[in-house]
Amino acid sequence: MKFSTAPHRLATRTHSQRKAGVYSLLLLLVATALFVFSGTYSPTATAQDTPAEEPAAAEASTDELSDDELLELAVNLGSSKLASETVEQLIGMGDARVLRLFERLMANELRTVGDRLVWEPPALEGESPAEAGAPLLLNAVAAERELLDLETLKVDGELPKSKSFRGNRKARKVIQQRLSLMGLDLKDPVIREESARNVGNKRQLEALPKLLELAENDPEKAIRRTAEESANLIVASGTDPEADEATRVAAIAGLGELKSIRGLDVLKEVINSDDSTPAMVAAAEKSTDQINRHISVTNWIKNAFFGMSAGSIFVLVALGLAITFGLMGVINMAHGEMLMIGAVATWACFEFLSTNPFWSGDPMAALGLSPNWAYVVAFFMAFTIAAITGLLVEVSIVRFLYKRPLDSLLATIGVSYILIQLVRNWKGDNLPLTRPDWSAGGWEVYPDIVLGYSRMFIIALTAFCLAAVVVIFRFTKIGLMVRATVQNRAMAQTLGVNTRVVDMFCFAFGAGLAGLAGFGVYLIGNTTPQMGQGYIVDSFLVVVVGGVGKLLGVVISGLGLGTLEKILEPIVLIEEPIRLFDSTWAKVAVLLLVVLFIQRRPSGLFPEKGRAASQATGKDDMPWLGRPTWRTDAILGGLLVIVGLVVIPALYLSGNMSIDTLNRYGYFTCFAICAVGLDLIWGYMGVLSLCQFLFFAFGSYCMGFYLINIGPKDVNGIPECLAYVMSDVANPTPPWYLAYFQNLGVSFLLAMLLPGLVAAVIGVMMFRSRVKGVYFAILTQAITVIAWRVFQKNDLKMGGTNGIRVTFSEELFGNPIAFQEGLSLASQTRFKLYILSVIALIVTLIVAKAMVRSGYGRILLAIRDDETRLRFSGYQPWVYKALTFTVAGMMAGLGGALYFPQKGIITPTEMEPSWSILVVAWVAFGGRGTLWGAVLGALAISQIYNFMTSEAPEYWMYVLGGLFILVPLLLPGGLMSIPTLIGNGLSRSKPGGTPPPPAVPASNTGGAA
């Protein structure tokens, strides 16, 4: 299906067609609601689909006694005359509450308050009694930790002192003997099945008769199978002394026929036992083969299902992005936060409408909704709140940036930071979860294949949202207006279409769909302020692989990527030196395949043609962009030398600046070197890269390898910071790569060459295939995610998530890095590192200035302004782009190499996409296309970051987000454009004055290559 259509089809949809589409959508909504409230019992559930915090499964509602009546009867357990009779009476009830009561009695957690039996367990973290100073008293038979109303226990306004209740000794002995088998007689099928499984696992011979009875007569098929399996386990293991060879062989064969995975250990014991007869061994081997084949088949089926559910999540998240990005050409980097808003809105419905009404204390509190109904309300709230948020973002920010796609990318990044911090300040980093009752269970379609209700619901929700999009865009008036606007905005306006309404609808609707994605993801994941960051890259890749604006492409790419990832996870290609695959390597493999696919087919599975083909690769209008003059270079260069090499060293050497402050300015300078490289490719060549800080991290790792090589080591010669990741190695030896980092000069050279080599490979692959604009930015972000995930693996022996760090006792320039008492200030290693960093920044600027002021630089500007015309002039733009990208990577590596000895640590965290996005903020704030702006932005924002994180850390994300939003809106040229804007304003204010022409006449179409 295509979103777009010809303008003349605007009036071809009949009223009956639209009506039929709406009816179809309503029927699908009703079907989904019926699914939600369909049976809540399933005798089996998997660990993947059952959260640890979930309440126990629903119990049978046939109990005859209330909780109070049951507890009143249980008090007789303390009577020597009535205890035995009471035990039998309670057991005969077949009530799950009795099982819980007996378990708590045997754990010595029951007490009496007056004449009431209560449960007083150890308090959990964060749990408090109903009243301050009172003991933690709970309902003794409830499945949950249900606080008692202390007012009902008080006598004359005072709470009686609780007394220990242990019960009669004879009664306790009977309970202890029968407790493990009680579950087999309970009415609750969930507990009955679990008890049947437990007694089989424990090989309890006394349970064999009851298991055989359940295997024959229980009304639940799943329980009959579990009981038969447990009975066979007991007999096959030899626990039953009366079982002859034929009986054991039959039991062993029965395990194979039942495909009993629990029986593998027993079968292995039979095969290896000297007491086993040949018939028993043969039967065990045959059963083992049957079970292993069953495991293989079920694993593939389960992985296919999990892949489909994961793919459905990809489709659901990408569906809204396909509208905002595919139809409108807006790069909404806050799309993941719209998902987060939907999840938080869902959480709020449970928190405020169900389990803990916000009107607590009001008589209406008793009307709190059940979790199931709260989830129904959450469907509408998630969509509405996310849609309203999206509408506000469009009206206040995005509407001004439609012709500047990369600026819209920056602004929406700022929106995402602000939304994340708002939720974090409101409720912290982890929100407690309450989920619908039905979401914990699953449907066992075949032994050991359980399809979780929550994942099935997500698949159904995805189908519903897809149907809703089809109906709205093909059978409604607003859908026809959207397609007409996308096809030809000017023509649609002449026909009376309010294109502003269309823009607002598309953005709000896309955000609302993301909110519904959060509503679905709430069932299977944790709700955190940053949860959307984990989906944004995947959702963009789904849209790009499918083809911009192609709904069918989104479905195929989303389901394909999700299924492929889950299918790869269980495959084992190699075990050493790394294990391929696991969840991380499967994710990395899928991302690599996507990168290679886009490199060969940049327009995706279903490429768009005509106007829409260039929509997503459009360029930003930058009329403010000008090139600094020689005079500006001289002034700013002189200022850099004076401040960096004279003023700051003088303050330090005179004792007015601490070594720590000097050290901080040193690695701020390293950030500036990295930013200069990004400005070279973004500001001058028009290519936005979101992996610049990745090269910086590579350079840091290279210098780190050298320093840990000369630092403290363990008895095996392994650097201390790497020893823990090699603790499980049989013959530990230093990692092989450390041999290349034993010389300072070689290590420093590798710190620039290795990032440059990686950048060259990326550049040649991408630019030769003419991947450009937004596609290039998204793919570089995906490459960053790949590296981040890979470097977290302990298999690489590069420190894993903890990275590498030094103790500062390592020597550079003849002295330890740490401050040395008795050594002059000028001889301190950190001071030398600072001076070296400033000199490296100056050299980097000189090299970059030489490049952009030469004929080579004019070719870069031509690439930015009109790459197609340059290609037709006989040039090969991809060569210049790849070379410049390589130089930028080497500059970042240089900055990273100088950064590590001053900071002392580098971890995979520095490879997260957020760091490369921060580099973009440095360049945008300072002013792109100037080089000096990159330096000013890096130093200014780093200083602001240092101040905010020490004085008001909770507001730092607001400041950074505000910079991302305000700079594109109010100061798109950054700090370096202020003199130009002032000059233009003064020129206009003079009588008869006219603004001067832009310094680079063709630059008003630059911004994305």
Side-chain angles (χ1 to χ4, degrees):
M1 171 191 170
K2 295 172 62 176
F3 282 114
S4 58
T5 187
H8 71 270
R9 299 182 62 186
L10 186 62
T12 60
R13 298 296 177 190
T14 66
H15 175 71
S16 61
Q17 286 175 312
R18 293 194 296 270
K19 190 174 181 180
V22 173
Y23 284 163
S24 300
L25 181 60
L26 290 175
L27 286 174
L28 187 56
L29 179 60
V30 171
T32 303
L34 290 175
F35 172 80
V36 171
F37 289 99
S38 60
T40 60
Y41 163 69
S42 170
T44 57
T46 62
Q48 294 92 334
D49 294 299
T50 306
E53 301 85 4
E54 285 299 306
E59 298 177 10
S61 57
T62 59
D63 304 315
E64 298 178 357
L65 298 181
S66 66
D67 287 356
D68 290 339
E69 292 171 336
L70 181 61
L71 291 172
E72 185 177 349
L73 176 63
V75 171
N76 293 332
L77 292 174
S79 169
S80 58
K81 296 181 179 179
L82 302 176
S84 299
E85 179 183 346
T86 303
V87 169
E88 297 299 330
Q89 185 177 355
L90 290 172
I91 292 176
M93 291 173 58
D95 193 331
R97 294 177 299 171
V98 174
L99 179 62
R100 289 193 291 269
L101 179 73
F102 284 174
E103 288 173 344
R104 291 160 186 173
L105 174 65
M106 300 309 295
N108 298 323
E109 293 178 349
L110 294 185
R111 305 182 74 85
T112 55
V113 177
D115 58 353
R116 175 73 178 269
L117 197 61
V118 300
W119 178 30
E120 188 177 348
L124 300 178
E125 183 178 355
E127 190 176 31
S128 57
E131 292 182 8
L136 181 67
L137 302 180
L138 309 178
N139 187 336
V141 295
E144 299 296 312
R145 299 172 70 90
E146 179 184 313
L147 282 172
L148 293 174
D149 183 1
L150 299 185
E151 294 298 327
T152 62
L153 302 176
K154 292 181 179 179
V155 178
D156 297 330
E158 296 291 334
L159 183 68
K161 185 177 181 180
S162 63
K163 300 179 181 179
S164 175
F165 182 84
R166 296 179 59 84
N168 181 266
R169 184 168 55 182
K170 293 182 179 179
R172 287 178 65 92
K173 185 176 181 180
V174 173
I175 292 172
Q176 185 175 13
Q177 292 173 346
R178 302 181 61 176
L179 186 60
S180 61
L181 304 183
M182 273 185 60
L184 300 175
D185 293 315
L186 296 184
K187 299 174 183 177
D188 187 337
V190 175
I191 297 179
R192 201 160 66 248
E193 183 188 9
E194 186 63 27
S195 296
R197 181 179 293 107
N198 288 338
V199 295
N201 292 340
K202 297 176 181 178
R203 315 290 191 267
Q204 291 184 241
L205 181 61
E206 62 272 19
L208 186 57
K210 185 62 181 178
L211 289 173
L212 294 174
E213 178 185 343
L214 290 176
E216 289 291 333
N217 304 320
D218 197 279
E220 298 289 344
K221 180 179 178 181
I223 297 178
R224 291 199 301 271
R225 180 186 183 279
T226 302
E228 182 182 357
E229 181 183 13
S230 293
N232 285 335
L233 281 173
I234 294 172
V235 175
S237 64
T239 305
D240 184 4
E242 299 180 359
D244 56 16
E245 180 185 6
T247 304
R248 288 192 65 185
V249 169
I252 293 170
L255 292 175
E257 293 171 359
L258 291 172
K259 312 295 190 297
S260 173
I261 298 176
R262 291 193 293 150
L264 282 176
D265 290 339
V266 171
L267 296 176
K268 184 177 179 180
E269 292 174 1
V270 171
I271 294 173
N272 296 329
S273 175
D274 295 335
D275 297 332
S276 299
T277 65
M280 294 166 56
V281 172
E285 290 175 344
K286 181 180 179 181
S287 294
T288 300
D289 292 339
Q290 289 177 312
I291 296 171
N292 287 332
R293 285 196 300 270
H294 169 74
I295 292 174
S296 178
V297 172
T298 55
N299 282 344
W300 280 103
I301 295 175
K302 286 189 288 187
N303 286 329
F305 172 70
F306 284 130
M308 182 171 290
S309 65
S312 297
I313 295 173
F314 288 163
V315 173
L316 195 57
V317 177
L319 196 56
L321 196 63
I323 296 173
T324 56
F325 178 44
L327 294 186
M328 305 175 66
V330 175
I331 311 161
N332 182 17
M333 295 298 288
H335 188 75
E337 278 54 60
M338 301 303 163
L339 176 146
M340 179 268 291
I341 287 175
V344 172
T346 304
W347 166 84
C349 288
F350 284 98
E351 182 73 7
F352 298 147
L353 301 180
S354 177
T355 58
N356 184 25
F358 65 86
W359 53 74
S360 182
D362 187 278
M364 292 288 291
L367 301 178
L369 297 177
S370 69
N372 286 348
W373 279 109
Y375 195 62
V376 172
V377 174
F379 175 87
F380 301 98
M381 294 299 294
F383 179 86
T384 303
I385 295 176
I388 291 174
T389 305
L391 180 62
L392 293 175
V393 171
E394 196 280 339
V395 171
S396 61
I397 299 172
V398 174
R399 62 178 297 191
F400 304 106
L401 302 172
Y402 278 126
K403 293 184 179 181
R404 293 153 53 188
L406 295 183
D407 279 346
S408 71
L409 180 147
L410 295 178
T412 51
I413 288 173
V415 172
S416 71
Y417 285 166
I418 290 175
L419 292 176
I420 288 172
Q421 195 61 35
L422 280 172
V423 175
R424 179 179 289 128
N425 288 349
W426 179 41
K427 284 296 179 180
D429 280 320
N430 286 288
L431 280 69
L433 295 182
T434 302
R435 293 188 172 114
D437 300 333
W438 53 265
S439 66
W443 175 30
E444 188 173 20
V445 296
Y446 189 74
D448 301 309
I449 300 179
V450 180
L451 307 184
Y453 288 147
S454 58
R455 295 184 179 274
M456 292 170 64
F457 176 79
I458 289 176
I459 295 174
L461 178 65
T462 303
F464 168 75
C465 291
L466 285 170
V469 171
V470 172
V471 169
I472 290 173
F473 280 92
R474 292 189 66 86
F475 299 102
T476 66
K477 183 178 179 180
I478 186 65
L480 297 177
M481 292 167 62
V482 169
R483 288 183 285 146
T485 302
V486 171
Q487 184 70 14
N488 192 320
R489 176 177 288 267
M491 180 65 73
Q493 286 176 326
T494 61
L495 293 175
V497 175
N498 189 335
T499 55
R500 273 297 302 139
V501 172
V502 170
D503 291 338
M504 290 188 291
F505 168 77
C506 285
F507 203 89
F509 186 61
L513 288 174
L516 289 182
F519 164 79
V521 171
Y522 178 87
L523 295 177
I524 61 173
N526 294 326
T527 300
T528 66
Q530 288 186 295
M531 65 183 296
Q533 298 290 303
Y535 293 97
I536 187 64
V537 174
D538 289 333
S539 59
F540 267 112
L541 292 179
V542 167
V543 175
V544 170
V545 170
V548 175
K550 303 296 184 177
L551 184 60
L552 179 60
V554 170
V555 175
I556 293 176
S557 62
L559 292 178
L561 295 179
T563 303
L564 179 61
E565 182 179 330
K566 293 300 179 182
I567 286 177
L568 288 177
E569 282 185 11
I571 297 176
V572 179
L573 296 181
I574 58 174
E575 291 278 358
E576 295 292 340
I578 59 176
R579 186 182 187 278
L580 291 179
F581 291 95
D582 56 20
S583 59
T584 299
W585 286 114
K587 183 74 172 180
V588 169
V590 170
L591 289 174
L592 282 174
L593 289 175
V594 169
V595 171
L596 293 174
F597 174 81
I598 297 300
Q599 184 259 337
R600 299 303 303 171
R601 196 179 177 91
S603 298
L605 292 171
F606 301 98
E608 184 62 274
K609 299 179 181 179
R611 293 184 192 89
S614 60
Q615 187 174 12
T617 58
K619 301 178 181 179
D620 289 351
D621 292 327
M622 299 191 296
W624 38 261
L625 185 59
R627 294 166 60 186
T629 63
W630 285 103
R631 180 181 178 183
T632 303
D633 289 342
I635 293 174
L636 294 178
L639 190 63
L640 175 61
V641 171
I642 292 172
V643 174
L645 295 179
V646 178
V647 176
I648 292 179
L651 290 173
Y652 163 71
L653 293 174
S654 62
N656 293 310
M657 179 182 291
S658 69
I659 188 66
D660 292 331
T661 302
L662 181 76
N663 187 63
R664 185 165 59 249
Y665 289 146
Y667 58 76
F668 286 177
T669 304
C670 299
F671 292 157
I673 296 173
C674 180
V676 169
L678 179 64
D679 195 22
L680 192 62
I681 58 175
W682 183 27
Y684 284 88
M685 198 170 66
V687 175
L688 177 60
S689 167
L690 294 181
C691 67
Q692 182 69 1
F693 211 80
L694 174 63
F695 304 135
F696 184 93
F698 285 164
S700 292
Y701 266 94
C702 289
M703 183 54 65
F705 293 151
Y706 167 73
L707 289 177
I708 63 174
N709 244 341
I710 62 174
K713 299 179 180 178
D714 67 3
V715 294
N716 297 305
I718 301 173
E720 287 184 353
C721 68
L722 299 182
Y724 78 97
V725 299
M726 304 181 65
S727 58
D728 59 342
V729 177
N731 297 308
T733 57
W736 60 269
Y737 58 82
L738 289 181
Y740 297 96
F741 297 94
Q742 296 181 348
N743 180 272
L744 177 60
V746 172
S747 301
F748 203 82
L749 187 62
L750 288 174
M752 291 187 291
L753 292 180
L754 290 180
L757 177 62
V758 175
V761 172
I762 295 173
V764 170
M765 290 177 59
M766 298 299 172
F767 296 132
R768 192 169 185 178
S769 300
R770 300 183 185 179
V771 177
K772 53 186 178 180
V774 176
Y775 293 149
F776 182 81
I778 293 172
L779 289 180
T780 53
Q781 190 175 35
I783 291 170
T784 301
V785 173
I786 291 172
W788 170 47
R789 290 182 177 276
V790 167
F791 271 73
Q792 288 178 320
K793 299 288 291 181
N794 286 340
D795 299 352
L796 298 181
K797 298 180 176 59
M798 293 186 182
T801 55
N802 288 343
I804 55 176
R805 64 189 68 205
V806 294
T807 61
F808 291 116
S809 62
E810 296 81 0
E811 292 188 357
L812 279 179
F813 314 122
N815 293 303
I817 300 175
F819 186 83
Q820 299 296 302
E821 297 290 344
L823 195 64
S824 67
L825 294 178
S827 300
Q828 297 290 338
T829 300
R830 291 191 182 183
F831 175 69
K832 295 177 182 178
L833 287 170
Y834 166 79
I835 296 296
L836 186 59
S837 299
V838 176
I839 293 174
L841 175 59
I842 294 172
V843 172
T844 300
L845 283 167
I846 292 173
V847 172
K849 284 290 181 180
M851 290 177 63
V852 300
R853 290 191 179 277
S854 64
Y856 183 91
R858 286 191 288 274
I859 293 176
L860 297 184
L861 294 177
I863 292 173
R864 184 188 69 193
D865 294 338
D866 197 332
E867 182 178 345
T868 302
R869 179 180 296 180
L870 182 67
R871 187 180 301 111
F872 288 156
S873 299
Y875 289 88
Q876 291 184 314
W878 73 267
V879 175
Y880 294 91
K881 293 168 77 172
L883 181 58
T884 308
F885 193 69
T886 301
V887 172
M890 295 178 68
M891 289 179 177
L894 171 63
L898 293 170
Y899 168 85
F900 182 83
Q902 298 179 80
K903 188 68 174 178
I905 182 174
I906 183 71
T907 71
T909 302
E910 276 78 5
M911 296 182 182
E912 289 183 351
S914 58
W915 277 96
S916 290
I917 291 173
L918 185 59
V919 181
V920 174
W922 296 340
V923 177
F925 181 66
R928 55 184 141 149
T930 62
L931 296 180
W932 290 111
V935 176
L936 292 176
L939 297 178
I941 293 182
S942 296
Q943 185 60 39
I944 294 172
Y945 168 81
N946 179 70
F947 173 79
M948 293 296 298
T949 52
S950 59
E951 300 297 330
E954 67 274 16
Y955 297 110
W956 158 242
M957 293 293 282
Y958 295 135
V959 173
L960 182 60
L963 288 176
F964 271 108
I965 295 171
L966 295 178
V967 168
L969 288 176
L970 304 180
L971 197 63
L975 298 177
M976 289 296 293
S977 68
I978 293 177
T980 301
L981 295 176
I982 294 175
N984 290 346
L986 293 176
S987 177
R988 291 191 184 96
S989 67
K990 294 180 182 179
T994 57
V1000 185
S1003 65
N1004 63 335
T1005 60

